Amino acid sequence: LRGVNELGMSEELYQGVLGKEPENLAALVNYALLQVDFLHKVDKIESLLKKIKFLGPDVEILDLVSDLEVRARKIRKTTETK
């Protein structure tokens, strides 16, 4: 759905999956990517990334989380200066 620019629907679907399966690592990672990269919603991203770190101690996932943290900080700084 991200590919066809249905971001709101994507967000709802991830929320639905995570409501039923709160430890679904794939859904958590993709939801975090959606929040940061597409919706630029970083207000609650820290708790989501902490959960991902806890559930996915894999090196690739930790690298992605670090990258998302950096991108979220940049978005936060940009929105604070507007």
Coordinates of all heavy atoms in Angstrom, one line a residue:
L1 N 0.8 -1.2 0.0 CA 0.0 0.0 0.0 C 0.8 1.3 0.0 O 0.4 2.3 -0.5 CB -0.9 0.0 1.2 CG -2.0 -1.1 1.1 CD1 -2.8 -1.1 2.4 CD2 -3.0 -0.8 0.0
R2 N 2.1 1.2 0.6 CA 2.9 2.4 0.5 C 3.3 2.7 -0.9 O 3.4 3.8 -1.3 CB 4.2 2.1 1.3 CG 4.0 2.1 2.8 CD 5.4 2.0 3.5 NE 6.3 1.1 2.9 CZ 7.1 0.3 3.7 NH1 7.1 0.4 5.0 NH2 7.9 -0.6 3.1
G3 N 3.4 1.6 -1.7 CA 3.8 1.8 -3.1 C 2.7 2.5 -3.9 O 3.0 3.2 -4.9
V4 N 1.5 2.5 -3.5 CA 0.4 3.1 -4.3 C -0.1 4.4 -3.5 O -1.2 4.9 -3.7 CB -0.8 2.2 -4.6 CG1 -0.4 1.1 -5.6 CG2 -1.4 1.6 -3.3
N5 N 0.7 4.8 -2.5 CA 0.5 6.0 -1.8 C -0.8 6.0 -0.9 O -1.5 6.9 -0.8 CB 0.5 7.2 -2.7 CG 0.9 8.5 -1.9 OD1 1.6 8.4 -0.9 ND2 0.5 9.6 -2.4
E6 N -1.1 4.8 -0.4 CA -2.3 4.6 0.5 C -1.7 4.6 2.0 O -1.8 3.6 2.7 CB -3.0 3.4 0.2 CG -3.8 3.4 -1.1 CD -5.0 4.4 -1.1 OE1 -5.5 4.7 0.0 OE2 -5.4 4.7 -2.2
L7 N -1.1 5.7 2.4 CA -0.3 5.7 3.6 C -1.3 5.5 4.8 O -0.9 4.8 5.8 CB 0.5 6.9 3.7 CG 1.6 7.1 2.6 CD1 2.3 8.4 2.8 CD2 2.5 5.9 2.6
G8 N -2.4 6.2 4.8 CA -3.3 6.1 5.9 C -3.9 4.7 6.1 O -4.0 4.2 7.2
M9 N -4.1 4.0 5.0 CA -4.6 2.7 5.0 C -3.5 1.7 5.5 O -3.7 0.8 6.3 CB -5.1 2.2 3.6 CG -5.8 0.8 3.7 SD -6.4 0.3 2.1 CE -7.7 1.5 1.7
S10 N -2.3 2.0 5.1 CA -1.1 1.2 5.6 C -1.0 1.3 7.1 O -0.8 0.3 7.8 CB 0.2 1.7 4.9 OG 0.2 1.5 3.5
E11 N -1.1 2.5 7.6 CA -1.0 2.8 9.0 C -2.1 2.0 9.7 O -1.8 1.3 10.7 CB -1.1 4.3 9.3 CG -0.9 4.6 10.8 CD -0.9 6.1 11.0 OE1 -1.6 6.9 10.3 OE2 -0.2 6.5 11.9
E12 N -3.3 2.0 9.3 CA -4.4 1.3 9.9 C -4.2 -0.2 9.9 O -4.5 -0.9 10.9 CB -5.7 1.6 9.2 CG -6.2 3.0 9.4 CD -7.5 3.3 8.6 OE1 -8.2 2.4 8.2 OE2 -7.8 4.5 8.4
L13 N -3.7 -0.7 8.8 CA -3.4 -2.1 8.7 C -2.3 -2.6 9.7 O -2.5 -3.6 10.4 CB -3.0 -2.5 7.3 CG -4.1 -2.5 6.3 CD1 -3.6 -2.7 4.9 CD2 -5.2 -3.6 6.6
Y14 N -1.2 -1.8 9.8 CA -0.2 -2.1 10.7 C -0.7 -2.1 12.2 O -0.4 -2.9 13.0 CB 1.0 -1.2 10.6 CG 1.9 -1.6 9.4 CD1 2.2 -0.6 8.4 CD2 2.4 -2.8 9.2 CE1 2.9 -0.9 7.3 CE2 3.2 -3.1 8.1 CZ 3.5 -2.2 7.2 OH 4.2 -2.5 6.1
Q15 N -1.5 -1.1 12.5 CA -2.1 -0.9 13.8 C -3.0 -2.1 14.1 O -3.0 -2.7 15.2 CB -2.9 0.4 13.9 CG -2.0 1.6 14.0 CD -2.7 2.9 13.9 OE1 -3.9 2.9 13.5 NE2 -2.0 4.0 14.2
G16 N -3.7 -2.6 13.1 CA -4.6 -3.8 13.3 C -3.8 -5.0 13.6 O -4.1 -5.8 14.5
V17 N -2.7 -5.2 12.8 CA -1.9 -6.4 13.0 C -1.2 -6.3 14.4 O -1.2 -7.3 15.1 CB -0.8 -6.5 11.9 CG1 0.3 -7.5 12.2 CG2 -1.4 -6.8 10.6
L18 N -0.7 -5.2 14.7 CA 0.0 -5.0 16.0 C -1.0 -5.1 17.2 O -0.6 -5.5 18.3 CB 0.8 -3.7 16.0 CG 2.0 -3.8 15.0 CD1 2.6 -2.4 14.9 CD2 3.0 -4.8 15.4
G19 N -2.2 -4.7 17.0 CA -3.2 -4.9 18.0 C -3.5 -6.4 18.3 O -3.7 -6.7 19.5
K20 N -3.4 -7.2 17.3 CA -3.6 -8.7 17.5 C -2.3 -9.4 17.8 O -2.3 -10.4 18.5 CB -4.2 -9.3 16.2 CG -5.5 -8.8 16.0 CD -6.1 -9.3 14.6 CE -7.4 -8.7 14.3 NZ -7.9 -9.1 13.0
E21 N -1.2 -8.9 17.3 CA 0.2 -9.5 17.5 C 1.2 -8.4 17.8 O 2.0 -8.0 17.0 CB 0.6 -10.2 16.2 CG -0.3 -11.3 15.7 CD 0.2 -11.8 14.4 OE1 1.4 -12.2 14.3 OE2 -0.6 -11.9 13.4
P22 N 1.2 -7.9 19.1 CA 2.0 -6.8 19.4 C 3.5 -7.1 19.3 O 4.3 -6.2 19.4 CB 1.6 -6.5 20.9 CG 0.9 -7.7 21.3 CD 0.3 -8.4 20.1
E23 N 3.9 -8.4 19.2 CA 5.3 -8.7 19.1 C 5.7 -9.2 17.7 O 6.8 -9.8 17.5 CB 5.7 -9.8 20.2 CG 5.5 -9.2 21.6 CD 6.0 -10.2 22.7 OE1 6.4 -11.3 22.4 OE2 5.9 -9.8 23.8
N24 N 4.9 -8.9 16.7 CA 5.2 -9.2 15.4 C 6.3 -8.3 14.9 O 6.1 -7.1 14.5 CB 3.9 -9.1 14.5 CG 4.1 -9.5 13.1 OD1 5.2 -9.3 12.5 ND2 3.1 -10.1 12.5
L25 N 7.5 -8.8 14.8 CA 8.7 -8.0 14.5 C 8.7 -7.4 13.1 O 9.0 -6.2 13.0 CB 10.0 -8.8 14.7 CG 11.3 -8.1 14.6 CD1 11.4 -7.0 15.6 CD2 12.5 -9.1 14.9
A26 N 8.2 -8.2 12.2 CA 8.2 -7.7 10.8 C 7.2 -6.5 10.7 O 7.5 -5.4 10.1 CB 7.7 -8.7 9.8
A27 N 6.0 -6.6 11.4 CA 5.1 -5.5 11.4 C 5.6 -4.3 12.1 O 5.4 -3.2 11.7 CB 3.7 -6.0 12.0
L28 N 6.3 -4.5 13.2 CA 6.8 -3.4 14.0 C 7.9 -2.6 13.2 O 7.9 -1.4 13.1 CB 7.5 -3.9 15.3 CG 6.6 -4.4 16.4 CD1 7.3 -5.2 17.4 CD2 5.9 -3.1 17.0
V29 N 8.7 -3.4 12.5 CA 9.8 -2.7 11.7 C 9.2 -1.9 10.5 O 9.5 -0.8 10.3 CB 10.8 -3.8 11.2 CG1 11.7 -3.1 10.1 CG2 11.6 -4.3 12.3
N30 N 8.2 -2.6 9.8 CA 7.6 -1.9 8.7 C 6.8 -0.7 9.2 O 6.7 0.3 8.5 CB 6.8 -2.9 7.9 CG 7.6 -3.7 7.0 OD1 8.4 -3.2 6.3 ND2 7.5 -5.0 7.2
Y31 N 6.1 -0.8 10.3 CA 5.3 0.3 10.9 C 6.3 1.5 11.3 O 6.0 2.6 11.0 CB 4.5 -0.2 12.1 CG 3.6 0.8 12.7 CD1 2.6 1.4 11.9 CD2 3.7 1.2 14.0 CE1 1.7 2.3 12.5 CE2 2.8 2.1 14.6 CZ 1.8 2.7 13.8 OH 1.0 3.6 14.3
A32 N 7.4 1.1 11.8 CA 8.4 2.2 12.2 C 8.9 2.9 10.9 O 9.0 4.1 10.9 CB 9.6 1.6 12.9
L33 N 9.2 2.1 9.9 CA 9.6 2.7 8.6 C 8.5 3.6 8.0 O 8.8 4.7 7.5 CB 9.9 1.6 7.6 CG 11.2 0.9 7.8 CD1 11.3 -0.4 7.0 CD2 12.4 1.8 7.5
L34 N 7.3 3.2 8.1 CA 6.2 4.0 7.6 C 6.1 5.3 8.4 O 5.9 6.4 7.8 CB 4.9 3.2 7.7 CG 3.6 4.0 7.4 CD1 3.5 4.2 5.9 CD2 2.4 3.2 7.9
Q35 N 6.2 5.2 9.7 CA 6.1 6.4 10.6 C 7.2 7.4 10.3 O 6.9 8.6 10.2 CB 6.1 6.0 12.1 CG 4.9 5.1 12.5 CD 3.6 5.9 12.5 OE1 3.5 7.0 13.0 NE2 2.7 5.3 11.8
V36 N 8.4 6.9 10.2 CA 9.5 7.9 10.0 C 9.6 8.3 8.5 O 9.7 9.5 8.3 CB 10.8 7.2 10.5 CG1 12.0 8.1 10.1 CG2 10.8 6.9 12.0
D37 N 9.7 7.4 7.6 CA 10.1 7.7 6.2 C 8.9 8.3 5.4 O 9.1 9.1 4.5 CB 10.6 6.5 5.5 CG 12.0 6.1 6.0 OD1 12.7 7.0 6.6 OD2 12.4 5.0 5.7
F38 N 7.7 7.9 5.7 CA 6.6 8.3 4.8 C 5.6 9.3 5.5 O 5.2 10.2 4.9 CB 5.8 7.1 4.4 CG 6.6 6.2 3.5 CD1 7.4 5.1 4.0 CD2 6.7 6.4 2.1 CE1 8.1 4.3 3.2 CE2 7.5 5.6 1.3 CZ 8.2 4.6 1.8
L39 N 5.3 9.0 6.8 CA 4.3 9.9 7.5 C 5.0 11.0 8.3 O 4.4 11.9 8.7 CB 3.5 9.1 8.4 CG 2.6 8.0 7.7 CD1 1.9 7.1 8.7 CD2 1.6 8.6 6.7
H40 N 6.3 10.8 8.6 CA 7.1 11.8 9.3 C 6.5 12.0 10.7 O 6.5 13.1 11.2 CB 7.3 13.1 8.6 CG 7.8 12.9 7.2 ND1 9.1 12.5 7.0 CD2 7.3 13.1 6.0 CE1 9.3 12.4 5.7 NE2 8.2 12.7 5.1
K41 N 6.0 10.9 11.3 CA 5.4 11.0 12.7 C 6.5 10.4 13.6 O 6.6 9.2 13.7 CB 4.1 10.2 12.7 CG 3.0 10.7 12.0 CD 1.7 9.9 12.2 CE 0.5 10.4 11.5 NZ -0.6 9.6 11.7
V42 N 7.1 11.3 14.3 CA 8.2 10.8 15.1 C 7.9 11.0 16.6 O 8.8 10.7 17.5 CB 9.6 11.5 14.8 CG1 10.0 11.0 13.4 CG2 9.5 13.0 14.9
D43 N 6.7 11.5 17.0 CA 6.4 11.8 18.4 C 6.4 10.5 19.2 O 6.8 10.6 20.4 CB 5.1 12.5 18.5 CG 4.0 11.8 17.8 OD1 4.2 11.2 16.8 OD2 2.8 12.0 18.2
K44 N 6.0 9.4 18.7 CA 6.0 8.1 19.5 C 7.0 7.1 19.0 O 6.9 5.9 19.4 CB 4.6 7.6 19.5 CG 3.5 8.5 20.1 CD 2.2 7.9 19.9 CE 1.1 8.9 20.4 NZ -0.2 8.5 20.2
I45 N 7.9 7.5 18.2 CA 8.8 6.5 17.5 C 9.8 5.9 18.5 O 10.2 4.7 18.4 CB 9.5 7.1 16.3 CG1 10.1 6.0 15.4 CG2 10.6 8.1 16.8 CD1 9.1 5.2 14.7
E46 N 10.2 6.6 19.6 CA 11.2 6.1 20.5 C 10.7 4.8 21.2 O 11.4 3.8 21.3 CB 11.5 7.1 21.5 CG 12.4 8.2 20.9 CD 12.2 9.6 21.6 OE1 11.5 9.6 22.7 OE2 12.8 10.5 21.1
S47 N 9.4 4.8 21.6 CA 8.9 3.6 22.3 C 8.8 2.4 21.3 O 9.1 1.3 21.7 CB 7.6 3.8 23.0 OG 6.6 4.2 22.0
L48 N 8.5 2.7 20.1 CA 8.4 1.6 19.1 C 9.8 1.1 18.8 O 9.9 -0.1 18.7 CB 7.8 2.2 17.8 CG 7.5 1.3 16.6 CD1 6.6 0.2 17.0 CD2 6.9 2.1 15.5
L49 N 10.8 1.9 18.6 CA 12.1 1.5 18.4 C 12.7 0.7 19.5 O 13.4 -0.3 19.3 CB 13.0 2.6 18.0 CG 12.6 3.3 16.6 CD1 13.5 4.5 16.4 CD2 12.6 2.3 15.5
K50 N 12.4 1.1 20.8 CA 12.8 0.3 21.9 C 12.3 -1.1 21.9 O 13.0 -2.1 22.2 CB 12.4 1.0 23.2 CG 13.3 2.2 23.6 CD 12.8 2.9 24.9 CE 13.6 4.1 25.1 NZ 13.1 4.8 26.3
K51 N 11.0 -1.2 21.5 CA 10.4 -2.5 21.5 C 11.0 -3.4 20.4 O 11.3 -4.6 20.6 CB 8.9 -2.4 21.2 CG 8.1 -3.7 21.3 CD 6.6 -3.4 21.2 CE 5.9 -4.6 21.6 NZ 4.4 -4.4 21.6
I52 N 11.3 -2.8 19.3 CA 12.0 -3.5 18.2 C 13.4 -4.0 18.6 O 13.8 -5.1 18.4 CB 12.1 -2.6 16.9 CG1 10.7 -2.4 16.3 CG2 13.0 -3.3 15.9 CD1 10.7 -1.3 15.3
K53 N 14.1 -3.1 19.3 CA 15.5 -3.5 19.8 C 15.4 -4.7 20.8 O 16.2 -5.6 20.7 CB 16.1 -2.3 20.6 CG 16.7 -1.3 19.7 CD 17.3 -0.2 20.6 CE 17.6 1.1 20.0 NZ 18.2 2.0 20.9
F54 N 14.4 -4.7 21.6 CA 14.2 -5.8 22.6 C 13.8 -7.1 21.9 O 14.4 -8.1 22.2 CB 13.1 -5.4 23.6 CG 12.8 -6.5 24.6 CD1 13.6 -6.7 25.6 CD2 11.6 -7.2 24.5 CE1 13.4 -7.7 26.6 CE2 11.4 -8.2 25.4 CZ 12.2 -8.5 26.4
L55 N 12.9 -7.0 20.9 CA 12.5 -8.2 20.2 C 13.4 -8.7 19.2 O 13.4 -9.9 18.9 CB 11.1 -8.0 19.6 CG 9.9 -7.7 20.6 CD1 8.7 -7.3 19.8 CD2 9.7 -8.9 21.4
G56 N 14.2 -7.8 18.6 CA 15.0 -8.2 17.5 C 16.5 -7.9 17.6 O 17.0 -7.0 17.0
P57 N 17.2 -8.6 18.5 CA 18.6 -8.3 18.7 C 19.5 -8.6 17.6 O 20.7 -8.7 17.8 CB 18.9 -9.1 20.0 CG 18.0 -10.3 19.9 CD 16.7 -9.8 19.3
D58 N 19.0 -8.9 16.4 CA 19.7 -9.2 15.2 C 20.5 -7.9 14.8 O 20.0 -6.8 14.9 CB 18.7 -9.6 14.1 CG 19.3 -9.9 12.8 OD1 19.6 -8.9 12.1 OD2 19.5 -11.0 12.5
V59 N 21.7 -8.1 14.3 CA 22.6 -7.0 13.9 C 21.9 -6.1 12.8 O 22.0 -4.9 12.9 CB 24.0 -7.5 13.5 CG1 24.8 -6.4 12.9 CG2 24.7 -8.2 14.6
E60 N 21.3 -6.7 11.9 CA 20.7 -6.0 10.8 C 19.6 -5.1 11.3 O 19.4 -4.0 10.9 CB 20.2 -6.9 9.7 CG 21.3 -7.5 8.8 CD 20.7 -8.4 7.8 OE1 19.6 -8.2 7.3 OE2 21.5 -9.3 7.3
I61 N 18.8 -5.7 12.2 CA 17.7 -4.9 12.8 C 18.2 -3.8 13.7 O 17.7 -2.7 13.6 CB 16.7 -5.9 13.6 CG1 16.0 -6.8 12.6 CG2 15.7 -5.1 14.4 CD1 15.1 -7.8 13.2
L62 N 19.2 -4.1 14.4 CA 19.8 -3.0 15.3 C 20.3 -1.9 14.4 O 20.2 -0.7 14.8 CB 20.8 -3.6 16.2 CG 20.3 -4.6 17.3 CD1 21.4 -5.1 18.1 CD2 19.2 -3.9 18.2
D63 N 21.0 -2.2 13.3 CA 21.5 -1.2 12.4 C 20.3 -0.3 11.8 O 20.4 0.9 11.8 CB 22.3 -1.8 11.3 CG 23.6 -2.3 11.7 OD1 24.1 -2.0 12.8 OD2 24.2 -3.1 10.9
L64 N 19.3 -1.0 11.5 CA 18.1 -0.3 10.9 C 17.5 0.6 12.0 O 17.1 1.8 11.7 CB 17.0 -1.3 10.4 CG 15.7 -0.7 9.9 CD1 16.0 0.2 8.7 CD2 14.8 -1.8 9.6
V65 N 17.4 0.1 13.2 CA 16.8 0.9 14.3 C 17.7 2.2 14.5 O 17.2 3.3 14.7 CB 16.7 0.1 15.6 CG1 16.4 1.0 16.8 CG2 15.6 -0.9 15.4
S66 N 19.0 2.0 14.5 CA 19.9 3.2 14.7 C 19.7 4.2 13.6 O 19.7 5.4 13.8 CB 21.4 2.7 14.7 OG 21.6 1.9 15.8
D67 N 19.6 3.7 12.4 CA 19.3 4.6 11.2 C 18.0 5.3 11.4 O 17.9 6.5 11.1 CB 19.4 3.7 9.9 CG 19.4 4.6 8.7 OD1 20.1 5.6 8.7 OD2 18.6 4.3 7.8
L68 N 17.0 4.6 11.8 CA 15.7 5.2 12.0 C 15.7 6.3 13.1 O 15.1 7.3 13.0 CB 14.6 4.2 12.3 CG 14.1 3.4 11.1 CD1 13.2 2.2 11.6 CD2 13.3 4.2 10.2
E69 N 16.5 6.0 14.1 CA 16.7 7.0 15.2 C 17.3 8.3 14.7 O 16.8 9.4 15.0 CB 17.5 6.4 16.4 CG 16.8 5.3 17.1 CD 17.7 4.6 18.1 OE1 18.9 4.5 17.9 OE2 17.1 4.2 19.2
V70 N 18.3 8.1 13.9 CA 18.9 9.3 13.3 C 18.0 10.1 12.4 O 17.8 11.3 12.5 CB 20.2 8.9 12.5 CG1 20.7 10.1 11.6 CG2 21.3 8.4 13.4
R71 N 17.2 9.4 11.5 CA 16.3 10.0 10.7 C 15.1 10.7 11.4 O 14.7 11.8 11.1 CB 15.7 9.0 9.6 CG 16.8 8.6 8.7 CD 16.4 7.8 7.5 NE 15.4 6.8 7.6 CZ 15.6 5.5 7.3 NH1 16.8 5.1 7.0 NH2 14.6 4.7 7.4
A72 N 14.7 10.1 12.5 CA 13.7 10.6 13.4 C 14.1 11.9 14.0 O 13.4 12.9 14.1 CB 13.2 9.6 14.4
R73 N 15.4 11.9 14.5 CA 15.9 13.2 15.1 C 16.0 14.3 14.1 O 15.7 15.4 14.4 CB 17.3 12.9 15.7 CG 17.3 12.2 17.0 CD 18.7 12.3 17.7 NE 19.7 11.5 17.0 CZ 19.9 10.2 17.2 NH1 19.2 9.6 18.1 NH2 20.9 9.6 16.6
K74 N 16.4 14.0 12.8 CA 16.4 15.0 11.8 C 15.0 15.6 11.5 O 14.9 16.8 11.4 CB 17.0 14.4 10.5 CG 18.5 14.2 10.6 CD 19.0 13.6 9.3 CE 20.5 13.3 9.4 NZ 21.0 12.7 8.1
I75 N 14.1 14.7 11.5 CA 12.7 15.1 11.2 C 12.2 16.0 12.4 O 11.6 17.1 12.2 CB 11.7 13.9 11.0 CG1 12.1 13.3 9.7 CG2 10.3 14.4 11.1 CD1 11.4 11.9 9.5
R76 N 12.5 15.6 13.6 CA 12.1 16.3 14.8 C 12.7 17.7 14.8 O 12.1 18.7 15.0 CB 12.5 15.6 16.0 CG 11.8 16.1 17.3 CD 12.1 15.2 18.5 NE 11.3 14.1 18.4 CZ 11.7 12.8 18.4 NH1 13.0 12.6 18.4 NH2 10.9 11.8 18.3
K77 N 14.0 17.8 14.4 CA 14.7 19.1 14.4 C 14.1 20.0 13.3 O 13.9 21.2 13.5 CB 16.2 18.9 14.1 CG 17.0 18.5 15.3 CD 18.5 18.3 14.9 CE 19.2 17.8 16.1 NZ 20.7 17.6 15.8
T78 N 13.8 19.4 12.1 CA 13.2 20.2 11.0 C 11.8 20.7 11.5 O 11.5 21.9 11.2 CB 13.0 19.3 9.8 OG1 14.3 18.8 9.4 CG2 12.4 20.0 8.6
T79 N 11.0 19.9 12.1 CA 9.7 20.4 12.5 C 9.7 21.4 13.6 O 8.8 22.2 13.7 CB 8.8 19.2 12.9 OG1 9.3 18.4 13.9 CG2 8.5 18.3 11.7
E80 N 10.7 21.3 14.5 CA 10.9 22.2 15.6 C 11.3 23.6 15.1 O 10.9 24.6 15.7 CB 11.9 21.8 16.6 CG 11.4 20.6 17.4 CD 12.5 20.0 18.3 OE1 13.7 20.5 18.2 OE2 12.2 19.1 19.1
T81 N 12.0 23.7 14.0 CA 12.4 25.0 13.5 C 11.4 25.7 12.6 O 11.5 26.8 12.3 CB 13.7 24.9 12.7 OG1 13.5 24.0 11.6 CG2 14.9 24.4 13.5
K82 N 10.3 25.0 12.3 CA 9.2 25.6 11.5 C 8.3 26.4 12.3 O 8.0 26.2 13.4 CB 8.5 24.5 10.7 CG 9.3 24.0 9.6 CD 8.5 23.0 8.8 CE 9.4 22.4 7.7 NZ 8.7 21.5 6.8

